[in-house]
PDB file of all heavy atoms in Angstrom:
ATOM      1  N   GLY C   1      -0.244 -11.941   1.267  1.00 87.00           N
ATOM      2  CA  GLY C   1      -0.201 -11.394   2.608  1.00 87.00           C
ATOM      3  C   GLY C   1       0.451 -12.302   3.634  1.00 87.00           C
ATOM      4  O   GLY C   1       0.706 -13.478   3.395  1.00 87.00           O
ATOM      5  N   SER C   2       0.715 -11.719   4.789  1.00 88.00           N
ATOM      6  CA  SER C   2       1.306 -12.444   5.916  1.00 88.00           C
ATOM      7  C   SER C   2       0.836 -11.752   7.189  1.00 88.00           C
ATOM      8  O   SER C   2       1.510 -10.883   7.739  1.00 88.00           O
ATOM      9  CB  SER C   2       2.836 -12.431   5.816  1.00 88.00           C
ATOM     10  OG  SER C   2       3.414 -13.096   6.907  1.00 88.00           O
ATOM     11  N   THR C   3      -0.356 -12.130   7.639  1.00 91.00           N
ATOM     12  CA  THR C   3      -0.968 -11.467   8.783  1.00 91.00           C
ATOM     13  C   THR C   3      -1.471 -12.488   9.786  1.00 91.00           C
ATOM     14  O   THR C   3      -1.688 -13.661   9.454  1.00 91.00           O
ATOM     15  CB  THR C   3      -2.153 -10.582   8.346  1.00 91.00           C
ATOM     16  OG1 THR C   3      -3.134 -11.412   7.695  1.00 91.00           O
ATOM     17  CG2 THR C   3      -1.713  -9.498   7.379  1.00 91.00           C
ATOM     18  N   SER C   4      -1.694 -12.021  10.976  1.00 93.00           N
ATOM     19  CA  SER C   4      -2.274 -12.884  12.003  1.00 93.00           C
ATOM     20  C   SER C   4      -3.736 -13.171  11.678  1.00 93.00           C
ATOM     21  O   SER C   4      -4.348 -12.495  10.832  1.00 93.00           O
ATOM     22  CB  SER C   4      -2.186 -12.205  13.371  1.00 93.00           C
ATOM     23  OG  SER C   4      -3.071 -11.088  13.416  1.00 93.00           O
ATOM     24  N   VAL C   5      -4.297 -14.136  12.360  1.00 95.00           N
ATOM     25  CA  VAL C   5      -5.716 -14.446  12.179  1.00 95.00           C
ATOM     26  C   VAL C   5      -6.563 -13.221  12.496  1.00 95.00           C
ATOM     27  O   VAL C   5      -7.514 -12.890  11.772  1.00 95.00           O
ATOM     28  CB  VAL C   5      -6.126 -15.631  13.083  1.00 95.00           C
ATOM     29  CG1 VAL C   5      -7.637 -15.830  13.049  1.00 95.00           C
ATOM     30  CG2 VAL C   5      -5.421 -16.916  12.651  1.00 95.00           C
ATOM     31  N   MET C   6      -6.221 -12.518  13.558  1.00 94.00           N
ATOM     32  CA  MET C   6      -7.019 -11.371  13.976  1.00 94.00           C
ATOM     33  C   MET C   6      -6.955 -10.217  12.976  1.00 94.00           C
ATOM     34  O   MET C   6      -7.865  -9.393  12.906  1.00 94.00           O
ATOM     35  CB  MET C   6      -6.574 -10.892  15.355  1.00 94.00           C
ATOM     36  CG  MET C   6      -6.744 -11.957  16.448  1.00 94.00           C
ATOM     37  SD  MET C   6      -8.433 -12.603  16.546  1.00 94.00           S
ATOM     38  CE  MET C   6      -9.301 -11.153  17.141  1.00 94.00           C
ATOM     39  N   ASP C   7      -5.860 -10.162  12.208  1.00 94.00           N
ATOM     40  CA  ASP C   7      -5.704  -9.086  11.226  1.00 94.00           C
ATOM     41  C   ASP C   7      -5.979  -9.565   9.797  1.00 94.00           C
ATOM     42  O   ASP C   7      -5.630  -8.876   8.827  1.00 94.00           O
ATOM     43  CB  ASP C   7      -4.277  -8.514  11.295  1.00 94.00           C
ATOM     44  CG  ASP C   7      -4.013  -7.785  12.604  1.00 94.00           C
ATOM     45  OD1 ASP C   7      -4.952  -7.180  13.137  1.00 94.00           O
ATOM     46  OD2 ASP C   7      -2.860  -7.841  13.078  1.00 94.00           O
ATOM     47  N   ALA C   8      -6.613 -10.713   9.667  1.00 91.00           N
ATOM     48  CA  ALA C   8      -6.812 -11.316   8.344  1.00 91.00           C
ATOM     49  C   ALA C   8      -7.567 -10.390   7.398  1.00 91.00           C
ATOM     50  O   ALA C   8      -8.538  -9.740   7.787  1.00 91.00           O
ATOM     51  CB  ALA C   8      -7.567 -12.632   8.492  1.00 91.00           C
ATOM     52  N   ASP C   9      -7.087 -10.364   6.166  1.00 94.00           N
ATOM     53  CA  ASP C   9      -7.745  -9.624   5.089  1.00 94.00           C
ATOM     54  C   ASP C   9      -8.620 -10.624   4.336  1.00 94.00           C
ATOM     55  O   ASP C   9      -8.109 -11.527   3.670  1.00 94.00           O
ATOM     56  CB  ASP C   9      -6.675  -9.020   4.165  1.00 94.00           C
ATOM     57  CG  ASP C   9      -7.267  -8.202   3.038  1.00 94.00           C
ATOM     58  OD1 ASP C   9      -8.305  -8.610   2.466  1.00 94.00           O
ATOM     59  OD2 ASP C   9      -6.670  -7.163   2.699  1.00 94.00           O
ATOM     60  N   GLU C  10      -9.926 -10.480   4.419  1.00 95.00           N
ATOM     61  CA  GLU C  10     -10.830 -11.476   3.838  1.00 95.00           C
ATOM     62  C   GLU C  10     -10.706 -11.554   2.311  1.00 95.00           C
ATOM     63  O   GLU C  10     -10.889 -12.629   1.731  1.00 95.00           O
ATOM     64  CB  GLU C  10     -12.276 -11.204   4.245  1.00 95.00           C
ATOM     65  CG  GLU C  10     -12.535 -11.470   5.719  1.00 95.00           C
ATOM     66  CD  GLU C  10     -14.020 -11.483   6.059  1.00 95.00           C
ATOM     67  OE1 GLU C  10     -14.853 -11.530   5.137  1.00 95.00           O
ATOM     68  OE2 GLU C  10     -14.326 -11.450   7.269  1.00 95.00           O
ATOM     69  N   ASP C  11     -10.384 -10.456   1.666  1.00 95.00           N
ATOM     70  CA  ASP C  11     -10.200 -10.503   0.215  1.00 95.00           C
ATOM     71  C   ASP C  11      -8.994 -11.364  -0.155  1.00 95.00           C
ATOM     72  O   ASP C  11      -9.031 -12.111  -1.145  1.00 95.00           O
ATOM     73  CB  ASP C  11     -10.032  -9.093  -0.344  1.00 95.00           C
ATOM     74  CG  ASP C  11     -11.342  -8.315  -0.357  1.00 95.00           C
ATOM     75  OD1 ASP C  11     -12.418  -8.953  -0.349  1.00 95.00           O
ATOM     76  OD2 ASP C  11     -11.291  -7.066  -0.357  1.00 95.00           O
ATOM     77  N   GLN C  12      -7.927 -11.257   0.641  1.00 95.00           N
ATOM     78  CA  GLN C  12      -6.761 -12.104   0.393  1.00 95.00           C
ATOM     79  C   GLN C  12      -7.109 -13.576   0.617  1.00 95.00           C
ATOM     80  O   GLN C  12      -6.705 -14.446  -0.155  1.00 95.00           O
ATOM     81  CB  GLN C  12      -5.603 -11.692   1.300  1.00 95.00           C
ATOM     82  CG  GLN C  12      -4.995 -10.350   0.948  1.00 95.00           C
ATOM     83  CD  GLN C  12      -3.849  -9.970   1.851  1.00 95.00           C
ATOM     84  OE1 GLN C  12      -3.686 -10.514   2.952  1.00 95.00           O
ATOM     85  NE2 GLN C  12      -3.038  -9.015   1.401  1.00 95.00           N
ATOM     86  N   TRP C  13      -7.861 -13.839   1.664  1.00 96.00           N
ATOM     87  CA  TRP C  13      -8.283 -15.221   1.928  1.00 96.00           C
ATOM     88  C   TRP C  13      -9.128 -15.753   0.770  1.00 96.00           C
ATOM     89  O   TRP C  13      -8.943 -16.880   0.333  1.00 96.00           O
ATOM     90  CB  TRP C  13      -9.087 -15.286   3.233  1.00 96.00           C
ATOM     91  CG  TRP C  13      -8.239 -15.389   4.471  1.00 96.00           C
ATOM     92  CD1 TRP C  13      -7.284 -14.517   4.879  1.00 96.00           C
ATOM     93  CD2 TRP C  13      -8.289 -16.429   5.450  1.00 96.00           C
ATOM     94  NE1 TRP C  13      -6.737 -14.937   6.070  1.00 96.00           N
ATOM     95  CE2 TRP C  13      -7.337 -16.110   6.454  1.00 96.00           C
ATOM     96  CE3 TRP C  13      -9.057 -17.576   5.604  1.00 96.00           C
ATOM     97  CZ2 TRP C  13      -7.119 -16.914   7.557  1.00 96.00           C
ATOM     98  CZ3 TRP C  13      -8.849 -18.384   6.717  1.00 96.00           C
ATOM     99  CH2 TRP C  13      -7.883 -18.056   7.680  1.00 96.00           C
ATOM    100  N   ARG C  14     -10.067 -14.963   0.288  1.00 96.00           N
ATOM    101  CA  ARG C  14     -10.924 -15.406  -0.826  1.00 96.00           C
ATOM    102  C   ARG C  14     -10.086 -15.760  -2.048  1.00 96.00           C
ATOM    103  O   ARG C  14     -10.325 -16.769  -2.711  1.00 96.00           O
ATOM    104  CB  ARG C  14     -11.948 -14.325  -1.183  1.00 96.00           C
ATOM    105  CG  ARG C  14     -13.070 -14.169  -0.181  1.00 96.00           C
ATOM    106  CD  ARG C  14     -14.159 -13.239  -0.689  1.00 96.00           C
ATOM    107  NE  ARG C  14     -15.102 -12.944   0.381  1.00 96.00           N
ATOM    108  CZ  ARG C  14     -15.020 -11.896   1.184  1.00 96.00           C
ATOM    109  NH1 ARG C  14     -14.049 -11.011   1.021  1.00 96.00           N
ATOM    110  NH2 ARG C  14     -15.905 -11.706   2.146  1.00 96.00           N
ATOM    111  N   TRP C  15      -9.117 -14.908  -2.350  1.00 96.00           N
ATOM    112  CA  TRP C  15      -8.260 -15.162  -3.510  1.00 96.00           C
ATOM    113  C   TRP C  15      -7.494 -16.471  -3.330  1.00 96.00           C
ATOM    114  O   TRP C  15      -7.401 -17.277  -4.257  1.00 96.00           O
ATOM    115  CB  TRP C  15      -7.282 -14.005  -3.715  1.00 96.00           C
ATOM    116  CG  TRP C  15      -6.434 -14.180  -4.948  1.00 96.00           C
ATOM    117  CD1 TRP C  15      -6.725 -13.788  -6.220  1.00 96.00           C
ATOM    118  CD2 TRP C  15      -5.145 -14.824  -4.998  1.00 96.00           C
ATOM    119  NE1 TRP C  15      -5.704 -14.143  -7.073  1.00 96.00           N
ATOM    120  CE2 TRP C  15      -4.722 -14.783  -6.355  1.00 96.00           C
ATOM    121  CE3 TRP C  15      -4.318 -15.424  -4.047  1.00 96.00           C
ATOM    122  CZ2 TRP C  15      -3.504 -15.319  -6.770  1.00 96.00           C
ATOM    123  CZ3 TRP C  15      -3.107 -15.960  -4.467  1.00 96.00           C
ATOM    124  CH2 TRP C  15      -2.701 -15.909  -5.812  1.00 96.00           C
ATOM    125  N   MET C  16      -6.944 -16.688  -2.140  1.00 95.00           N
ATOM    126  CA  MET C  16      -6.157 -17.912  -1.900  1.00 95.00           C
ATOM    127  C   MET C  16      -7.017 -19.161  -1.971  1.00 95.00           C
ATOM    128  O   MET C  16      -6.600 -20.193  -2.509  1.00 95.00           O
ATOM    129  CB  MET C  16      -5.427 -17.811  -0.550  1.00 95.00           C
ATOM    130  CG  MET C  16      -4.247 -16.861  -0.584  1.00 95.00           C
ATOM    131  SD  MET C  16      -3.280 -16.818   0.950  1.00 95.00           S
ATOM    132  CE  MET C  16      -4.222 -15.658   1.932  1.00 95.00           C
ATOM    133  N   TRP C  17      -8.228 -19.087  -1.439  1.00 96.00           N
ATOM    134  CA  TRP C  17      -9.108 -20.252  -1.492  1.00 96.00           C
ATOM    135  C   TRP C  17      -9.630 -20.475  -2.908  1.00 96.00           C
ATOM    136  O   TRP C  17      -9.735 -21.616  -3.366  1.00 96.00           O
ATOM    137  CB  TRP C  17     -10.256 -20.081  -0.484  1.00 96.00           C
ATOM    138  CG  TRP C  17      -9.827 -20.493   0.893  1.00 96.00           C
ATOM    139  CD1 TRP C  17      -8.985 -19.812   1.716  1.00 96.00           C
ATOM    140  CD2 TRP C  17     -10.164 -21.698   1.581  1.00 96.00           C
ATOM    141  NE1 TRP C  17      -8.793 -20.518   2.892  1.00 96.00           N
ATOM    142  CE2 TRP C  17      -9.509 -21.680   2.826  1.00 96.00           C
ATOM    143  CE3 TRP C  17     -10.977 -22.783   1.263  1.00 96.00           C
ATOM    144  CZ2 TRP C  17      -9.617 -22.713   3.750  1.00 96.00           C
ATOM    145  CZ3 TRP C  17     -11.102 -23.813   2.190  1.00 96.00           C
ATOM    146  CH2 TRP C  17     -10.420 -23.770   3.417  1.00 96.00           C
ATOM    147  N   GLU C  18      -9.949 -19.404  -3.614  1.00 96.00           N
ATOM    148  CA  GLU C  18     -10.394 -19.544  -5.006  1.00 96.00           C
ATOM    149  C   GLU C  18      -9.291 -20.152  -5.869  1.00 96.00           C
ATOM    150  O   GLU C  18      -9.549 -21.022  -6.697  1.00 96.00           O
ATOM    151  CB  GLU C  18     -10.793 -18.171  -5.579  1.00 96.00           C
ATOM    152  CG  GLU C  18     -12.179 -17.720  -5.194  1.00 96.00           C
ATOM    153  CD  GLU C  18     -13.273 -18.365  -6.037  1.00 96.00           C
ATOM    154  OE1 GLU C  18     -12.955 -19.016  -7.052  1.00 96.00           O
ATOM    155  OE2 GLU C  18     -14.450 -18.212  -5.670  1.00 96.00           O
ATOM    156  N   THR C  19      -8.077 -19.668  -5.695  1.00 96.00           N
ATOM    157  CA  THR C  19      -6.970 -20.093  -6.552  1.00 96.00           C
ATOM    158  C   THR C  19      -6.490 -21.500  -6.221  1.00 96.00           C
ATOM    159  O   THR C  19      -6.338 -22.342  -7.111  1.00 96.00           O
ATOM    160  CB  THR C  19      -5.797 -19.096  -6.426  1.00 96.00           C
ATOM    161  OG1 THR C  19      -6.266 -17.787  -6.716  1.00 96.00           O
ATOM    162  CG2 THR C  19      -4.682 -19.459  -7.386  1.00 96.00           C
ATOM    163  N   ASN C  20      -6.245 -21.761  -4.951  1.00 97.00           N
ATOM    164  CA  ASN C  20      -5.657 -23.035  -4.549  1.00 97.00           C
ATOM    165  C   ASN C  20      -6.673 -24.168  -4.451  1.00 97.00           C
ATOM    166  O   ASN C  20      -6.396 -25.291  -4.885  1.00 97.00           O
ATOM    167  CB  ASN C  20      -4.948 -22.878  -3.197  1.00 97.00           C
ATOM    168  CG  ASN C  20      -3.749 -21.950  -3.265  1.00 97.00           C
ATOM    169  OD1 ASN C  20      -2.692 -22.313  -3.746  1.00 97.00           O
ATOM    170  ND2 ASN C  20      -3.920 -20.721  -2.790  1.00 97.00           N
ATOM    171  N   VAL C  21      -7.833 -23.877  -3.904  1.00 98.00           N
ATOM    172  CA  VAL C  21      -8.803 -24.944  -3.604  1.00 98.00           C
ATOM    173  C   VAL C  21      -9.834 -25.088  -4.719  1.00 98.00           C
ATOM    174  O   VAL C  21      -9.926 -26.134  -5.374  1.00 98.00           O
ATOM    175  CB  VAL C  21      -9.508 -24.691  -2.250  1.00 98.00           C
ATOM    176  CG1 VAL C  21     -10.384 -25.898  -1.889  1.00 98.00           C
ATOM    177  CG2 VAL C  21      -8.489 -24.424  -1.155  1.00 98.00           C
ATOM    178  N   LEU C  22     -10.614 -24.049  -4.947  1.00 98.00           N
ATOM    179  CA  LEU C  22     -11.664 -24.150  -5.952  1.00 98.00           C
ATOM    180  C   LEU C  22     -11.082 -24.271  -7.357  1.00 98.00           C
ATOM    181  O   LEU C  22     -11.661 -24.941  -8.223  1.00 98.00           O
ATOM    182  CB  LEU C  22     -12.611 -22.955  -5.854  1.00 98.00           C
ATOM    183  CG  LEU C  22     -13.430 -22.906  -4.561  1.00 98.00           C
ATOM    184  CD1 LEU C  22     -14.279 -21.647  -4.508  1.00 98.00           C
ATOM    185  CD2 LEU C  22     -14.311 -24.136  -4.432  1.00 98.00           C
ATOM    186  N   GLY C  23      -9.938 -23.650  -7.592  1.00 98.00           N
ATOM    187  CA  GLY C  23      -9.284 -23.807  -8.884  1.00 98.00           C
ATOM    188  C   GLY C  23      -8.920 -25.251  -9.156  1.00 98.00           C
ATOM    189  O   GLY C  23      -9.138 -25.771 -10.262  1.00 98.00           O
ATOM    190  N   THR C  24      -8.368 -25.921  -8.150  1.00 98.00           N
ATOM    191  CA  THR C  24      -8.037 -27.340  -8.290  1.00 98.00           C
ATOM    192  C   THR C  24      -9.301 -28.165  -8.497  1.00 98.00           C
ATOM    193  O   THR C  24      -9.347 -29.063  -9.353  1.00 98.00           O
ATOM    194  CB  THR C  24      -7.279 -27.829  -7.042  1.00 98.00           C
ATOM    195  OG1 THR C  24      -6.042 -27.108  -6.944  1.00 98.00           O
ATOM    196  CG2 THR C  24      -6.984 -29.316  -7.114  1.00 98.00           C
ATOM    197  N   LEU C  25     -10.340 -27.877  -7.733  1.00 98.00           N
ATOM    198  CA  LEU C  25     -11.613 -28.584  -7.887  1.00 98.00           C
ATOM    199  C   LEU C  25     -12.131 -28.455  -9.315  1.00 98.00           C
ATOM    200  O   LEU C  25     -12.542 -29.441  -9.939  1.00 98.00           O
ATOM    201  CB  LEU C  25     -12.637 -28.027  -6.902  1.00 98.00           C
ATOM    202  CG  LEU C  25     -14.087 -28.476  -7.098  1.00 98.00           C
ATOM    203  CD1 LEU C  25     -14.227 -29.969  -6.889  1.00 98.00           C
ATOM    204  CD2 LEU C  25     -15.021 -27.704  -6.172  1.00 98.00           C
TER     205      LEU C  25
END
């Protein structure tokens, strides 16, 4: 995705944090 903070899709955020951050951890 490519959205503003106000239009953020929480499912997209979860995927990005799971993949990039928690995956690395």
Side-chain angles (χ1 to χ4, degrees):
S2 179
T3 60
S4 69
V5 172
M6 299 305 292
D7 293 327
D9 182 320
E10 290 192 13
D11 287 338
Q12 290 180 342
W13 276 58
R14 287 189 189 93
W15 183 88
M16 286 185 276
W17 277 73
E18 279 280 350
T19 305
N20 294 283
V21 187
L22 294 177
T24 297
L25 169 64

